[in-house]
């Protein structure tokens, strides 16, 4: 490709509403153009990278035996009503009506449509396992689209769905997809981590997220540097940080703590470590009677150590909270505790208030908590002596850096990550809802065991940039760079020698299947360099009269601080070597 | 690919609601599955063909210097309001609201978005010409989706948009696209015709449709077998069929024609040729005054020979009808003519009724027309003598088979066609509406000269099948067949010799880049043959024990009536020769 024939468009400054690095750089490099909030055009420069990502995904999906199809973007409401998702999903499911006032949804994923296909076309166990995938536009009407293409509304996703005879077979399909994802992200050239993730109502341990490591990531990834343990913070198990409960040494005392409504403030006032305090959080569940009518509110007091944070996903798995919970309102708190938030505590609480202590809190002795009276806390609190044992002891907090690894093999570290892939065992959730069955070997109908497997194609571009950039611009992994090599001739319009040498190198590399662009715009070196460093092409060759007089050209890798000189006759071989195409 | 690893799904009968051959065969061959009216999933078998179509289009578009991007499916109303299409387009433009109640449209095409990109990124004449294209899902909310994927609501289209400095330069871009389309449809292996098409309000002669020839096509294509003349019937020029007006020989006579309200009936009653009758059609225009307020109705009487049909596109180009017309209501006809339809005629009409005669009608003498009185016609009617010359003589009829070619080089023939491509010069229609300008060489802003170029990707599959099928199923052109070759081993499960020979041929063909499927399902030959003939794979090799004993295998081309025998050692070379890969 010649730059003069390509649509190059770069900006010195990103638009002021751009929030994150990847968005700013993609806008400056002319890769994306905003059409509306969270809705972008992908310009030719970006599309080159997208096509490379898609090709890698497609190759590995096909290698794993999955079969590509495409399902509609606009899907009839009837299918979504069969699974109940039409009602259950919030406004992020974009609903629309056609000219005949029939209801449709824009696909955010396609479980319903693919299950409908399966129940019609997969009749026999002999057709299983089967894995269908598509690389297709998706729409999620995010309340606040942001971060450019990282959390857009319209985006490209690869979604795959496996159908199996049994849970064991589904496990093999899951493992095959896990392995394919590993190959895909390896080939993309990204630093990533596969982490265990929450399985929600499905249960089991078959849910993994593929997270691209980046400081700017929205997700916290917990891992153990000394073992293979890795999990999303939503799931990572937090053990008790105490060897067991110590004996009580202090007397229970009611201490004035005027205006100190946080554990931090109380610890500071009393001159004690934050780890001696206990935080009380009030949740509420809206109860219903046998007939589904409202039957009052149950209040829950959840206790975590002052330096810990409540993990809502873990809380949501507790018996009684599974069906959904909310934080109690200030009015409800006053009504149940006779006290405003900030001074609450478990002492003196009676049923129906339910008290749940985090594992560490249950092991604490002589701790500090609110006295259920404004401006007072209790110190020297001890389970059994000053209050009954908690109703429930459970893991309800986020792990923190330095916690023991749950596999007992060291301590945990935390990184930030961007979720770009997810493999998930679905069980029979959708096949039962839609009565999708096949005839098993015994001649009896059986529900499919399913799995679903997503990769955010366009999000990968954003994640790759968040992970790989510097002050000058993007630093693409070579596998997904819009071009592998750029040739910058200095004095294209003036020097025949430069033109000839540049053209010769261009022809040689093209002939070897290198994705090379020749910058024939006749711009000054500074302009060319700035553009290609912003765009992030991994390899650059500069050819100028001065060097050619000594038979030399310049090579600079995108991560190199300086250019190096090479014999003009060696440069093609050098580049081919770097690209592994020698 | 092995059949056991592929998703094969065939049906003996098509669902009863399938209307056309391509739809029936695609459903039976398991290529498409209906999700809703006009909305289909493309199953793996179809997607293989779609990807081949897309690859050919992409190669030729790139070769022509066009650049691929993707524009959003969901587009903000604001852009569509700038060009007025938000209001002008009917309900086929699917409008929707996001969660914040903002208006969006699903793209049926993307003139607005691409013009918005151009006005922001194409600043200088030095960046021109530029041609952007996308291969992307489109949505048109057809009132009555039908014919399977031929007139669906959701479909894949390649749409390209060119931007030029001048009308001349735009003409070169147009010609380049015309040439690219010719290469594309040649490579697809389809019989097609590029025909001149109506340019509507844009004017000029730069609009061509690419029509796949098929008896079932919705469009009538007019062409001259003795010249290069070809046009859509909407546009094809109809000359006068008479050498000039003959002298009057008959007297004007009012003849009773009780109950004979059509030209056919009148001609039959009177025992004269249909070509001596004249049909009167009443159109109406709703006039407005200077301020745009309704100002009554003008009635138009359009006259075509009894055996001819009114061409509404041509009528719509007449001065006074350009702004839109409708057929007059029965009430309006009674009011203006004092007579019900079927007995109308031009005699005795006065302004403001406007009389337009087709060219042939204007040359007729002694003709027959309605007497403006129920159950009566005039015979022996002559212009000048019995009524004034018409207000306007114009080409307002469809050509018919056997008409003289307008280029004077023979007579016209008519074929049916399916429109699969369209190249269209847009001029400055969109660039002016959206004030999209570039700085020309003289430093002054100038509106882009634009063209748009569409190809119906998924429709091509339907059209290819409408053109190429027989009683057994689809007959794919090899370039877009889901597989080029199928190997059918007879007795796969029993005979090692058959398995070895089939496997050897499969490996050989694969190594040569042949898209081959090995039917390892161990089915009976009849089942295999029926499936692959239905699916339409162009080349089939059958390998069985009986033949192998004599060193022979069977080859059958999809269009061949019978299989032929070849030496097993020669079959690979034979196939490679047929595919042009030898």
């Amino acid at each position: 490709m010649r730059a003069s024939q390509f649509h190059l468009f770069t900006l010195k400054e990103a638009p002021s509403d751009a929030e994150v690095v990847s968005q700013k750089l993609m806008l400056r490099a002319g890769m994306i153009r905003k059409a509306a909030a969270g809705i972008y055009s992908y310009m030719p420069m970006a599309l080159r990278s997208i096509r490379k990502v898609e090709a890698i995904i497609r190759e590995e999906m096909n290698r794993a035996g999955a079969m590509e199809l495409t399902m509609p973007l606009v899907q009839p409401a009837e299918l979504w009503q069969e699974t109940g998702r039409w009602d259950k999903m919030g406004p992020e499911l974009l609903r629309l009506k056609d000219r005949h006032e029939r209801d449709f949804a824009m696909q955010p994923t396609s479980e319903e449509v693919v299950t409908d296909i399966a129940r019609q076309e997969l009749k026999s166990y002999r057709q299983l396992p089967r894995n269908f995938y598509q690389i297709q536009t998706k729409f999620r009407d995010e309340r606040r689209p942001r971060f450019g293409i990282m959390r857009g509304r319209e985006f490209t996703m690869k979604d795959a769905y496996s159908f199996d005879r049994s849970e064991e077979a589904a496990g093999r399909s899951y493992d095959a997809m896990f392995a394919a994802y590993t190959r895909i992200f390896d080939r993309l050239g990204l630093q990533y981590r596969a982490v265990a993730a929450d399985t929600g109502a499905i249960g089991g341990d078959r849910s993994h997220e593929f997270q691209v490591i980046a400081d700017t990531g929205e997700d916290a990834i917990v891992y153990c540097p000394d073992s293979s343990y890795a999990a999303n913070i939503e799931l990572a198990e937090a053990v008790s940080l105490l060897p067991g409960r110590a004996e009580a040494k202090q007397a229970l005392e009611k201490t004035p703590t005027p205006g100190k409504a946080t554990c931090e403030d109380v610890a500071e006032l009393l001159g004690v470590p934050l780890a001696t305090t206990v935080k009380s959080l009030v949740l509420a569940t809206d109860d219903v009677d046998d007939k589904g009518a409202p039957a009052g509110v149950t209040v829950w007091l959840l206790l975590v150590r002052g330096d810990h944070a409540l993990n809502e996903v873990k809380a949501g798995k507790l018996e009684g909270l599974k069906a959904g919970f909310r934080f109690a309102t200030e009015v409800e708190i006053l009504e149940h505790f006779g006290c405003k938030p900030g001074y609450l505590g478990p002492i003196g609480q009676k049923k129906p208030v339910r008290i749940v202590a985090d594992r560490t809190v249950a092991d604490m002795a002589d701790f500090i908590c609110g006295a259920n009276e404004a401006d007072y806390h209790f110190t020297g609190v001890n389970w059994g002596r000053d209050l009954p044992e908690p109703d429930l002891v459970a893991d309800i907090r986020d792990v923190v850096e330095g916690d023991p690894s749950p596999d007992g093999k060291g301590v945990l570290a935390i990184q930030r990550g961007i979720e770009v892939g997810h493999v998930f065992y679905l069980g029979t959730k959708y096949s039962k809802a839609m009565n999708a069955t096949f005839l098993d070997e015994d001649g009896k109908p059986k529900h499919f065991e399913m799995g679903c497997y997503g990769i955010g194609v366009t999000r990968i571009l954003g994640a790759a940039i968040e992970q790989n950039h510097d002050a000058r611009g993007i630093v693409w992994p070579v596998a997904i760079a819009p071009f592998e090599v750029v040739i910058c001739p200095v004095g294209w319009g003036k020097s025949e020698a430069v033109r000839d040498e540049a053209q010769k190198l261009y022809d040689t590399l093209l002939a070897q299947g290198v994705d090379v662009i020749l910058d024939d715009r006749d711009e000054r070196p500074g302009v060319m360099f700035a553009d290609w460093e912003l765009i992030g092409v991994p390899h650059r060759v500069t050819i100028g009269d001065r060097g050619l007089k000594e038979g030399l050209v310049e090579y600079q890798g995108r991560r190199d601080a300086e250019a190096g000189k090479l014999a003009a006759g060696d440069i093609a071989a050098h580049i081919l070597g770097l690209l592994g195409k020698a």
Side-chain angles (χ1 to χ4, degrees), chain A:
Chain A
M1 183 64 69
R2 286 163 180 276
S4 62
Q5 306 295 311
F6 193 74
H7 182 64
L8 274 183
F9 180 82
T10 57
L11 292 170
K12 289 242 185 305
E13 301 287 339
S16 57
D17 62 344
E19 300 155 304
V20 291
V21 167
S22 58
Q23 185 184 13
K24 287 177 189 168
L25 291 177
M26 291 188 86
L27 286 165
R28 286 187 53 207
M31 300 192 105
I32 54 175
R33 177 157 290 284
K34 187 171 161 181
I39 299 178
Y40 290 85
S41 291
Y42 292 90
M43 298 301 294
M45 189 68 81
L47 199 64
R48 295 182 71 89
S49 291
I50 291 174
R51 293 282 181 251
K52 291 182 185 187
V53 172
E54 288 178 352
I56 289 172
I57 293 173
R58 190 170 277 129
E59 277 178 35
E60 295 300 340
M61 291 301 293
N62 292 348
R63 188 197 308 267
M67 259 162 286
E68 189 175 3
L69 46 61
T70 63
M71 291 179 276
L73 296 168
V74 177
Q75 306 187 342
E78 290 75 19
L79 289 176
W80 286 76
Q81 283 155 351
E82 278 193 61
T83 62
R85 289 213 294 174
W86 182 260
D87 295 320
K88 254 180 252 161
M89 283 193 74
E92 71 274 12
L93 181 68
L94 185 67
R95 294 161 174 88
L96 51 100
K97 283 180 190 292
D98 74 359
R99 64 194 291 161
H100 302 299
E101 294 291 310
R102 287 194 204 96
D103 286 313
F104 289 85
M106 287 276 282
Q107 66 162 351
T109 56
S110 279
E111 281 84 356
E112 282 79 2
V113 170
V114 80
T115 306
D116 182 50
I117 288 172
R119 71 181 167 185
Q120 296 184 74
E121 301 204 356
L122 301 178
K123 311 276 195 189
S124 156
Y125 71 96
R126 282 188 304 262
Q127 292 173 277
L128 305 180
R130 192 65 93 213
N131 186 324
F132 291 119
Y133 77 97
Q134 61 177 349
I135 298 178
Q136 178 66 310
T137 306
K138 301 284 182 297
F139 203 95
R140 277 187 203 164
D141 199 3
E142 298 274 353
R143 193 176 58 81
R144 203 165 86 80
R146 56 200 159 135
F147 308 151
I149 62 170
M150 303 254 281
R151 187 168 293 281
R153 296 199 282 178
E154 188 176 308
F155 54 95
T156 302
M157 186 172 146
K158 186 283 298 174
D159 45 329
Y161 306 90
S162 64
F163 296 86
D164 275 284
R165 288 177 72 179
S166 64
E167 197 183 329
E168 299 74 56
R172 287 191 292 276
S173 291
Y174 183 93
D175 294 342
M177 280 296 105
F178 188 98
Y181 274 40
T182 302
R183 287 194 299 272
I184 288 167
F185 291 107
D186 283 347
R187 287 183 59 185
L188 292 173
L190 297 172
Q191 274 184 281
Y192 69 97
R193 213 177 266 283
V195 304
D198 184 40
T199 54
I202 304 281
D205 56 1
R206 291 209 192 92
S207 168
H208 284 86
E209 293 166 355
F210 285 73
Q211 296 265 3
V212 166
I213 308 303
D215 294 340
T216 52
E218 280 191 286
D219 290 347
I221 305 168
V222 179
Y223 68 103
C224 174
D226 302 319
S227 77
S228 66
Y229 185 83
N232 189 307
I233 200 161
E234 292 180 347
L235 185 72
E237 187 183 351
V239 298
S240 173
L241 298 182
L242 300 170
R245 197 186 291 168
E247 293 217 349
K249 290 183 191 140
Q250 303 175 11
L252 180 70
E253 211 167 309
K254 187 166 152 189
T255 306
T257 51
K260 307 298 180 191
T262 68
C263 287
E264 287 78 4
D265 288 349
V266 171
E268 196 189 339
L269 174 75
L270 304 181
V272 296
L274 185 56
T276 62
T277 65
V278 166
K279 204 167 359 188
S280 300
L281 298 127
V282 192
L283 304 184
T285 51
D286 297 300
D287 304 322
V288 290
D289 66 14
D290 292 348
K291 288 168 186 160
V297 167
T298 299
V299 160
W300 300 67
L301 200 63
L302 272 70
L303 309 176
V304 296
R305 205 170 72 176
D307 56 339
H308 288 156
L310 177 71
N311 183 310
E312 293 179 41
V313 171
K314 292 177 180 176
K317 289 179 184 168
L318 299 179
E319 206 58 56
L321 294 177
K322 273 183 193 168
F325 65 83
R326 55 183 174 80
F327 283 90
T329 63
E330 205 153 329
V331 171
E332 286 169 335
I333 289 173
L334 265 174
E335 187 183 320
H336 279 84
F337 298 92
C339 168
K340 65 179 180 181
Y343 302 92
L344 305 180
I347 292 183
Q349 301 304 340
K350 292 196 191 110
K351 308 237 156 171
V353 174
R354 301 260 301 154
I355 294 182
V356 182
D358 179 60
R359 290 166 170 176
T360 299
V361 171
D363 282 345
M364 287 168 78
D366 298 328
F367 61 84
I368 297 168
C369 64
N372 297 310
E373 186 179 335
D375 300 334
Y376 283 93
H377 279 77
F378 284 121
T379 60
V381 183
N382 283 279
W383 295 107
R385 187 190 73 181
D386 307 322
L387 75 172
E389 294 292 331
D391 296 311
L392 189 66
V393 176
D395 171 16
I396 56 169
R397 70 169 174 99
D398 285 343
V399 299
V400 292
E401 193 111 18
D403 275 3
S405 177
D407 63 5
K409 292 184 183 160
V411 296
L412 295 175
I414 296 181
Q415 282 178 316
R416 307 300 300 179
I418 300 165
E419 186 191 339
V420 288
H422 199 163
V423 291
F424 198 96
Y425 166 66
L426 289 169
T428 54
K429 179 179 170 187
Y430 289 93
S431 58
K432 280 194 173 145
M434 297 182 67
N435 197 26
T437 61
F438 61 97
L439 284 186
D440 209 350
E441 205 160 4
D442 58 10
K444 287 183 185 146
K446 208 168 155 183
H447 289 107
F448 296 103
E449 287 279 344
M450 291 172 58
C452 67
Y453 316 93
I455 294 184
V457 175
T458 36
R459 183 184 268 196
I460 282 175
L461 264 62
I465 296 171
E466 292 291 332
Q467 184 179 82
N468 301 283
H469 65 270
D470 61 19
R472 292 173 293 162
I474 302 168
V475 185
W476 286 109
V478 72
I480 57 175
F483 296 97
E484 294 172 316
V485 179
V486 57
I487 301 171
C488 295
V490 180
W492 173 263
K494 293 193 207 92
S495 163
E496 204 179 321
V498 165
R499 265 200 312 278
D500 287 351
E501 194 65 32
Q503 184 69 47
K504 197 175 72 182
L505 177 60
Y506 177 70
D507 292 341
T508 305
L509 293 177
L510 262 194
Q512 296 292 321
V514 175
D515 194 6
V516 55
I517 186 162
L518 171 62
D519 192 343
D520 59 348
R521 291 177 297 163
D522 206 17
E523 292 279 4
R524 286 177 297 109
V527 171
M528 288 193 283
F529 295 172
D531 277 350
W532 298 111
E533 287 174 348
L534 172 60
I535 292 162
V537 175
H539 304 288
R540 188 180 79 210
V541 180
T542 309
I543 300 177
D545 268 326
R546 209 176 325 169
L548 282 184
K549 273 178 199 149
E550 301 168 45
L552 297 176
V553 300
E554 278 188 3
Y555 167 80
Q556 185 164 5
R558 178 61 184 81
R559 290 187 192 273
D560 300 346
E562 284 185 18
K565 290 193 196 314
L566 269 93
D570 295 341
I571 183 68
H574 181 68
I575 298 265
L576 291 170
L578 290 170
L579 294 174
K581 291 180 181 178

